[in-house]
Amino acid sequence: MVKPVLVLNGPNLNLLGVREPEIYGTTTLEDVRSACTTRAESLGLSVDFHQSNHEGELVDLIQRSKTDNSGIVINAAAYTHTSVAIMDALKMCGIPIVEVHLSNIYQREPFRHHSYVSSVANGVICGFGSKGYELALEAMEQIINA
Ligand code: DQA
């Protein structure tokens, strides 16, 4: 049986819609949650949707996903560029991982060009705004049902 896909959001993404809307858009995280739920249902999947500003809490959720989830869609936000702990946890979970970013991180400051998450992800979707989460779920469905 396919378990829910963990959709995990890192720091400051709780402020989506009001935080730098010229970069991240005006869609709120609640809008993203609802779009993910609807898209997942149409793909025959379900989602566990979380956001945390705390690295350790994100690590806990990733560790739990080994038994509780069939895949992870992750926007680790700023931790993408800094967190060996999140990379190590992802490496251990043994389920497919799709990395997502709202902005095209490669068009931005050089410190955003390196992602620890990419080194352990099946693939990366960035630059398509909040639509990227739905694209990530489509990719996840293809991986799970391949
Ligand atoms: C982000 C890009 C990161 O560099 C940044 O720190 C974020 C959001 C994105 O979705 O575009 O918080 O992950």
Side-chain angles (χ1 to χ4, degrees), residues 11 13 19 24 75 77-78 80-81 100-103 105 108 112:
L13 291 173
R19 170 195 181 209
Y24 299 117
N75 183 351
T80 304
H81 318 297
V100 55
H101 299 284
L102 296 138
S103 63
I105 55 174
R108 301 183 62 196
R112 295 185 204 275

Side-chain angles (χ1 to χ4, degrees), residues 72-75 80 97-101 105-106 115-119 121-126 136:
I72 302 179
V73 168
I74 181 166
N75 183 351
T80 304
I97 298 159
V98 179
E99 177 180 3
V100 55
H101 299 284
I105 55 174
Y106 301 101
S115 164
Y116 283 101
V117 175
S118 294
S119 65
N122 294 61
V124 186
I125 291 167
C126 76

Side-chain angles (χ1 to χ4, degrees), residues 12-134:
N12 300 307
L13 291 173
N14 53 315
L15 299 178
L16 214 54
V18 290
R19 170 195 181 209
E20 300 179 272
E22 65 288 358
I23 296 174
Y24 299 117
T26 51
T27 304
T28 67
L29 196 62
E30 267 316 300
D31 295 334
V32 174
R33 180 201 294 271
S34 135
C36 282
T37 304
T38 305
R39 190 72 193 105
E41 265 170 31
S42 75
L43 291 164
L45 300 174
S46 62
V47 292
D48 276 346
F49 195 94
H50 291 276
Q51 187 276 332
S52 177
N53 292 328
H54 305 281
E55 189 175 20
E57 196 175 333
L58 294 165
V59 169
D60 286 344
L61 286 161
I62 294 166
Q63 286 187 3
R64 216 176 298 156
S65 74
K66 196 175 170 64
T67 51
D68 294 4
N69 301 103
S70 285
I72 302 179
V73 168
I74 181 166
N75 183 351
Y79 286 140
T80 304
H81 318 297
T82 63
S83 181
V84 175
I86 287 175
M87 178 187 71
D88 283 349
L90 288 169
K91 210 170 178 176
M92 281 187 309
C93 73
I95 55 177
I97 298 159
V98 179
E99 177 180 3
V100 55
H101 299 284
L102 296 138
S103 63
N104 181 347
I105 55 174
Y106 301 101
Q107 281 181 347
R108 301 183 62 196
E109 306 94 319
F111 67 85
R112 295 185 204 275
H113 296 180
H114 176 261
S115 164
Y116 283 101
V117 175
S118 294
S119 65
V120 293
N122 294 61
V124 186
I125 291 167
C126 76
F128 298 102
S130 58
K131 269 277 163 210
Y133 285 81
E134 292 175 65

Side-chain angles (χ1 to χ4, degrees), residues 132-144:
Y133 285 81
E134 292 175 65
L135 298 172
L137 284 169
E138 283 174 36
M140 183 58 75
E141 188 275 331
Q142 302 234 341
I143 298 167
I144 289 173

